[in-house]
Amino acid sequence: MADEKVQTKLLDELEKGPWPSFVKEIKKARKVSPVCDDLLGQLELSYEEKVGHWKHGGIVGVMGYGGGVIGRYSDLPEKFPNVAHFHTMRINQPSGWFYTSNALRTLCDIWDRHGSGLTNMHGSTGDIVFLGTKTDELEPCFKELTEAGFDLGGSGSCMRTPSACVGKARCEWACYDTMKMCNDITHQYQDELHRPPFPYKFKFKFSGCPNDCVASIARADLSVIGTWKDDIQQNDAEVAAYAAKGLDVQDDVCGRCPTKCMKWDGKKLTINNRECVRCMHCINAMPKALAPGKERGATLLIGAKAPIVQGALLSSVLVPFVPADELMDTIKELISRVWDFWDEYGKNRERVGELIQRVGMGNFLDAIGLDPVPEMITAPRDNPYIYFKDEA
Amino acid sequence: MAAEPVKRITDIGPPNFEKFLHPVIKKNYGLWKYHDNLAPGVLCHVAESGDKIFTVRAASPRLLSTTTIRQFADLAEKYCGGYLRFTSRNNVEFLLDNQANIEPLKKELLALGFPVGGTNNAISNIVHTQGWVHCHSSATDASGIVKSVMDALCDRFTHEDLPAKLRIALACCLNMCGAVHCSDIAILGVHRKPPKIKHDILPKVCEVPTLIASCPTGAIRPATVDGKQSVEVVEEQCMFCANCYTVCPAMPLNDPENDGISIWVGGKVSNARSAPKFSKLAIPFIPNEPPRWPGVVDAVVNIVEVYAKNAKKFERMGEWIERIGWPKFFELTGIPFTKYHIDDFRLAGTTYARSTHIRF
Ligand code: HEM
Ligand code: HEM
Ligand code: SF4
Ligand code: SF4
Ligand code: SF4
Ligand code: SF4
């Protein structure tokens, strides 16, 4: 019996319990591909020995592309020959991760023909991840994917696959069209995505409002986060309805406003919109009563990254507000200047945020031709070590 | 060869999302008015036109077989014209225009083993990475810990009874593929021993200058071992980050007894109320305990329960801790405070207490 071929005593423990089980998923895929038996065997061994059994990746890929495939080899190829090669392919997801059942079936059919039948929906950057195939299958799989209208995502020192929140497709708070922006930027920079040109990776993420559902401020080199300039739209009858239904408008809404710019007299809510920092709290608390204003656009922030190499960074403000209809042109113009500077001065494996830290934000702004504005900082410097320059 | 070369298709980018949108979404794109939370895992978005789209959100293990994806496709065809999407946290969402289909769809999802929930003040799915299933760099597994933790927290996914949203993320090494450094609770695989240098292969597989430059603390020095060019690591300077292993396969850090897991708390991404913030160290080390990781599960459940009992409405984990102060956090959770909790990397002083604001 195929099922008895590998003993998975430890992994079987992970089939129990109410949460969906990845072990069950791997077992389901055995019907698609025998590689799953060896994957289970190797994973069981990792569970016994408490150590992974994959080798450092090698460089594999499809013709003409410098990324999109993660090479992976077992360190026990004699014991588990079917996972001797077990490369993943990153496939660029449609904006917002929307699919039709037909599109999903097409992807499944292609992957059943060319790989393990295992996927990640999705990888943490946003791509569809096809998990596990052999070098020989990469090119034929790529051919079928492109014929079906899909393309690979990024890996290595390239523009990584951009991602976006649902935005205008299903969220009343979207201050610009995140999904279209994501789609357009991805198409605009196909060369930078497929043929790594940079010192290191570069990520774009598009969130429609300050709730930042794609975590762009934590993960994107360029974070585009929707916001508004005019007043919060307010429906007094609905505010009263929330209060009547038991929401404590004083404590839970006004009391949690970071700038204390709201007043509730028991009947009427007053917002001092000039002091509002557009944090979304009151709108989140009363979605029927409040909404972002009508003069919408986005804040551009730069430089987020996880700790490797020099420590984690959050993005910081680069342009406080760009109106929605100017966003695409502004991003294209700015990014070409940022990329030029990074290309020239960035060290190997230095993300743009680390470069800015090394050369100083002031010098970086000079280089990309932006004027400094106080929205970029939480406070001016508190040390007197100023690098004065000769001014002409 | 006489045959016409077939034109190879490249650089087409992702398919345009518009062809995957539900007709109600297409019609009301950008024209949504408000939304209601009908039940845990069920949203109703209402457009200016009065049209409604219903969303049913279900958990997935992220690692999905094509068999299961086809099951999702079947359900989408049966209940919502074939329209579905996935979320940034690995949930699957079915998009319905007929409210009557919600209950039958939920029933089928539950029967297939996919809990419905994760909205509003519930714990959503855990963002996580590859672990022993696919990565060479992992200090721990990913999927197995996620499964064990979420088995214990499943009721918190299917109910919305926390003070605020709670996001958990896991990364199996310091590379942190995923936004774990800004999560309410982050589970992070860590090494505790320096690289074990494979001097025999090092000169063949690595460029020594690149390797030396890769170390953030300058712990790697050139050395000659058995007459061959290699490197040595100044062990007191090594903080086990594995940067060197990323650029050089001859520097593995994996170690079954010394690898394990650290727990971080109080990060957030959203700008709501307080600014986004990093997660901070709660527990420096828990050993790897496959297959069910009881130490990690207990630690996470404890933090969640203490938070649930003590935080005020709308307070995220980090906001609650800032209000009560870190000493109280350690007291309430019973987690021991150690020297490892005090930063000693670059700019360490920024987290030292520099006032007499102390809660007694
Ligand atoms: C210097 C830091 C990093 C290094 C060296 C690194 C390295 C790797 C490696 C080796 C893999 C392959 C795992 C496999 O075998 O499938 C991987 C996967 C991945 N990484 Fe990273 N990574 C880094 C940081 C990040 C960050 C910060 C993110 C996202 C915010 C990210 C997103 C991903 C994604 C999406 C995958 C695919 C699989 C998954 O989602 O788990 N990586 N990374
Ligand atoms: C119309 C309302 C909203 C929509 C359509 C929406 C949509 C989403 C979706 C689809 C996700 C992925 C969720 C998952 O897989 O569990 C998400 C994540 C998230 N949402 Fe929202 N959301 C809404 C409201 C909010 C609110 C009110 C907040 C904050 C108070 C918020 C903050 C977040 C955060 C922080 C994440 C997680 C990002 C991350 O850490 O990866 N969202 N949102
Ligand atoms: S980031 Fe804002 S606009 Fe985008 S889905 Fe989240 S709440 Fe909606
Ligand atoms: S959006 Fe935030 S800052 Fe502005 S009024 Fe509402 S709670 Fe206050
Ligand atoms: S976090 Fe580390 S171990 Fe996990 S997938 Fe990413 S690189 Fe691999
Ligand atoms: S693990 Fe990190 S600190 Fe240690 S030698 Fe390697 S690069 Fe340097």
Side-chain angles (χ1 to χ4, degrees):
Chain A
M1 285 296 297
D3 272 11
E4 260 79 79
K5 232 168 67 189
V6 276
Q7 291 287 320
T8 51
K9 260 199 357 239
L10 294 173
L11 291 176
D12 292 350
E13 291 300 313
L14 291 168
E15 292 189 59
K16 299 170 186 166
W19 196 252
S21 163
F22 72 103
V23 174
K24 281 188 190 159
E25 293 298 318
I26 303 176
K27 290 190 174 178
K28 278 187 195 172
R30 283 170 151 177
K31 291 189 198 76
V32 174
S33 168
V35 305
C36 294
D37 283 313
D38 279 2
L39 178 64
L40 283 166
Q42 180 174 314
L43 193 57
E44 179 75 7
L45 192 65
S46 285
Y47 268 63
E48 284 166 14
E49 297 178 348
K50 298 199 272 190
V51 65
H53 279 291
W54 298 106
K55 277 205 284 209
H56 217 277
I59 297 172
V60 287
V62 301
M63 229 184 353
Y65 280 15
V69 180
I70 310 291
R72 188 61 69 222
Y73 303 87
S74 169
D75 71 3
L76 298 167
E78 284 85 30
K79 202 158 173 194
F80 304 108
N82 286 317
V83 292
H85 306 202
F86 200 64
H87 314 316
T88 57
M89 299 179 80
R90 293 180 177 173
I91 292 108
N92 200 148
Q93 82 286 1
S95 277
W97 302 282
F98 280 86
Y99 298 93
T100 54
S101 51
N102 282 337
L104 286 181
R105 287 185 203 286
T106 304
L107 288 168
C108 290
D109 292 346
I110 294 174
W111 191 228
D112 283 356
R113 281 193 288 277
H114 297 290
S116 65
L118 292 172
T119 72
N120 290 146
M121 299 298 275
H122 294 77
S124 49
T125 301
D127 298 283
I128 303 160
V129 174
F130 278 1
L131 199 61
T133 192
K134 297 186 180 7
T135 310
D136 297 346
E137 296 288 351
L138 295 173
E139 198 59 43
C141 187
F142 177 68
K143 181 167 182 286
E144 284 201 48
L145 282 167
T146 50
E147 281 165 5
F150 285 87
D151 198 347
L152 294 188
S155 67
S157 298
C158 66
M159 178 185 86
R160 294 295 180 87
T161 309
S163 72
C165 77
V166 286
K168 288 185 184 281
R170 201 201 51 199
C171 185
E172 65 271 27
W173 297 329
C175 295
Y176 68 96
D177 193 342
T178 53
M179 301 215 311
K180 181 166 189 305
M181 189 70 63
C182 178
N183 189 67
D184 291 352
I185 289 281
T186 313
H187 283 273
Q188 173 79 29
Y189 297 115
Q190 280 293 294
D191 199 35
E192 285 80 358
L193 196 158
H194 295 303
R195 295 167 198 87
F198 300 136
Y200 209 12
K201 58 182 105 169
F202 193 95
K203 299 184 179 180
F204 283 96
K205 293 194 189 294
F206 302 94
S207 278
C209 81
N211 282 329
D212 196 2
C213 291
V214 286
S216 71
I217 205 162
R219 307 192 293 170
D221 298 273
L222 193 80
S223 317
V224 183
I225 303 180
T227 188
W228 66 96
K229 255 193 153 164
D230 55 346
D231 295 355
I232 290 175
Q233 302 184 63
Q234 193 174 332
N235 179 329
D236 288 326
E238 292 291 353
V239 177
Y242 275 105
K245 271 190 296 179
L247 180 70
D248 187 336
V249 178
Q250 183 53 47
D251 276 11
D252 289 339
V253 183
C254 302
R256 298 219 164 271
C257 168
T259 59
K260 303 287 181 283
C261 66
M262 318 179 82
K263 265 211 188 76
W264 170 242
D265 66 4
K267 282 193 217 92
K268 164 103 177 117
L269 181 73
T270 318
I271 304 176
N272 178 352
N273 277 280
R274 300 284 60 80
E275 277 175 22
C276 161
V277 289
R278 281 100 186 127
C279 82
M280 290 299 290
H281 170 69
C282 57
I283 300 173
N284 292 338
M286 304 191 286
K288 275 191 195 170
L290 302 178
K294 290 181 171 162
E295 190 186 344
R296 296 183 176 194
T299 303
L300 305 183
L301 304 94
I302 193 157
K305 55 179 289 297
I308 300 298
V309 176
Q310 299 289 345
L313 296 172
L314 289 166
S315 283
S316 69
V317 173
L318 191 63
V319 185
F321 187 80
V322 183
D325 54 359
E326 296 169 19
L327 206 44
M328 185 69 186
D329 289 341
T330 306
I331 291 176
K332 278 200 293 200
E333 174 61 36
L334 254 180
I335 212 62
S336 75
R337 288 186 254 153
V338 169
W339 282 350
D340 280 350
F341 181 70
W342 183 41
D343 236 5
E344 190 161 345
Y345 295 99
K347 295 199 274 198
N348 182 36
R349 296 188 74 229
E350 184 173 51
R351 293 278 286 271
V352 89
E354 286 173 347
L355 171 64
I356 294 171
Q357 295 230 307
R358 182 162 62 82
V359 303
M361 182 60 98
N363 289 332
F364 176 74
L365 293 175
D366 274 349
I368 63 166
L370 269 191
D371 289 332
V373 293
E375 284 81 1
M376 292 172 176
I377 53 166
T378 54
R381 71 161 71 222
D382 54 12
N383 72 68
Y385 303 134
I386 307 176
Y387 294 97
F388 286 108
K389 300 262 155 59
D390 288 339
E391 306 281 345
Chain B
M1 288 257 261
E4 277 281 303
V6 186
K7 196 166 167 284
R8 200 164 159 275
I9 309 170
T10 67
D11 296 85
I12 56 169
N16 192 303
F17 58 91
E18 279 176 34
K19 61 182 180 196
F20 301 136
L21 297 182
H22 190 292
V24 172
I25 288 186
K26 214 172 203 169
K27 180 177 158 211
N28 298 288
Y29 195 87
L31 301 170
W32 297 101
K33 195 166 171 202
Y34 67 89
H35 70 278
D36 259 329
N37 207 190
L38 302 184
V42 184
L43 301 171
C44 168
H45 284 78
V46 182
E48 304 284 357
S49 65
D51 287 352
K52 290 181 179 174
I53 190 89
F54 301 94
T55 300
V56 174
R57 182 183 293 179
S60 103
R62 184 176 95 129
L63 198 168
L64 289 175
S65 63
T66 47
T67 318
T68 297
I69 298 174
R70 288 194 184 90
Q71 278 174 335
F72 290 159
D74 291 341
L75 289 176
E77 276 158 18
K78 188 160 166 195
Y79 293 110
C80 42
Y83 295 97
L84 72 172
R85 69 178 289 267
F86 292 83
T87 72
S88 56
R89 305 191 74 88
N90 315 315
N91 296 308
V92 57
E93 291 186 337
F94 296 87
L95 301 160
L96 303 79
D97 53 20
N98 182 355
Q99 189 163 7
N101 280 338
I102 294 175
E103 285 311 315
L105 170 61
K106 274 170 77 173
K107 234 192 199 146
E108 285 209 45
L109 282 165
L110 292 180
L112 287 169
F114 299 100
V116 171
T119 44
N120 207 5
N121 294 346
I123 293 185
S124 187
N125 208 338
I126 300 186
V127 166
H128 66 275
T129 48
Q130 298 293 7
W132 294 335
V133 171
H134 203 261
C135 194
H136 66 290
S137 189
S138 33
T140 185
D141 189 33
S143 306
I145 302 161
V146 168
K147 162 76 175 145
S148 304
V149 169
M150 285 313 289
D151 274 341
L153 291 174
C154 197
D155 282 350
R156 296 262 180 216
F157 179 84
T158 55
H159 296 76
E160 299 177 330
D161 48 11
L162 285 166
K165 288 173 193 302
L166 199 153
R167 310 294 194 194
I168 307 179
L170 177 148
C172 25
C173 83
L174 267 57
N175 285 338
M176 289 197 193
C177 307
V180 318
H181 56 304
C182 294
S183 304
D184 295 284
I185 301 180
I187 305 170
L188 175 66
V190 289
H191 301 291
R192 292 189 304 165
K193 291 285 166 198
K196 292 177 277 270
I197 308 168
K198 295 181 171 171
H199 296 290
D200 50 334
I201 59 163
L202 192 140
K204 274 174 284 183
V205 295
C206 311
E207 254 189 72
V208 171
T210 312
L211 171 57
I212 289 172
S214 75
C215 178
T217 69
I220 305 176
R221 292 199 300 222
T224 308
V225 180
D226 296 332
K228 270 191 265 176
Q229 192 203 16
S230 187
V231 297
E232 65 184 10
V233 171
V234 183
E235 301 208 348
E236 308 76 68
Q237 241 165 285
C238 179
M239 36 117 180
F240 324 117
C241 69
N243 257 310
C244 52
Y245 184 50
T246 296
V247 304
C248 172
M251 304 285 284
L253 285 91
N254 296 352
D255 180 327
E257 296 318 314
N258 286 293
D259 288 349
I261 284 168
S262 55
I263 307 278
W264 305 69
V265 298
K268 76 195 267 285
V269 163
S270 145
N271 285 271
R273 299 168 305 283
S274 55
K277 42 182 146 264
F278 289 131
S279 313
K280 321 277 190 306
L281 182 64
I283 304 177
F285 187 76
I286 303 173
N288 278 325
E289 300 167 306
R292 299 285 315 189
W293 275 272
V296 177
V297 173
D298 291 351
V300 172
V301 169
N302 175 43
I303 294 168
V304 171
E305 294 310 322
V306 172
Y307 160 76
K309 212 161 55 199
N310 291 283
K312 292 187 184 166
K313 199 171 162 194
F314 288 112
E315 256 176 358
R316 292 279 293 258
M317 177 84 65
E319 294 168 323
W320 163 63
I321 298 172
E322 278 173 11
R323 175 169 59 82
I324 63 166
W326 285 96
K328 192 79 182 168
F329 169 81
F330 285 100
E331 181 193 319
L332 286 171
T333 54
I335 297 170
F337 186 79
T338 70
K339 70 172 182 186
Y340 295 125
H341 290 90
I342 305 177
D343 195 356
D344 54 9
F345 196 56
R346 226 163 265 141
L347 304 177
T350 57
T351 53
Y352 296 172
R354 287 163 161 163
S355 79
T356 57
H357 295 188
I358 300 173
R359 296 168 180 80
F360 293 105

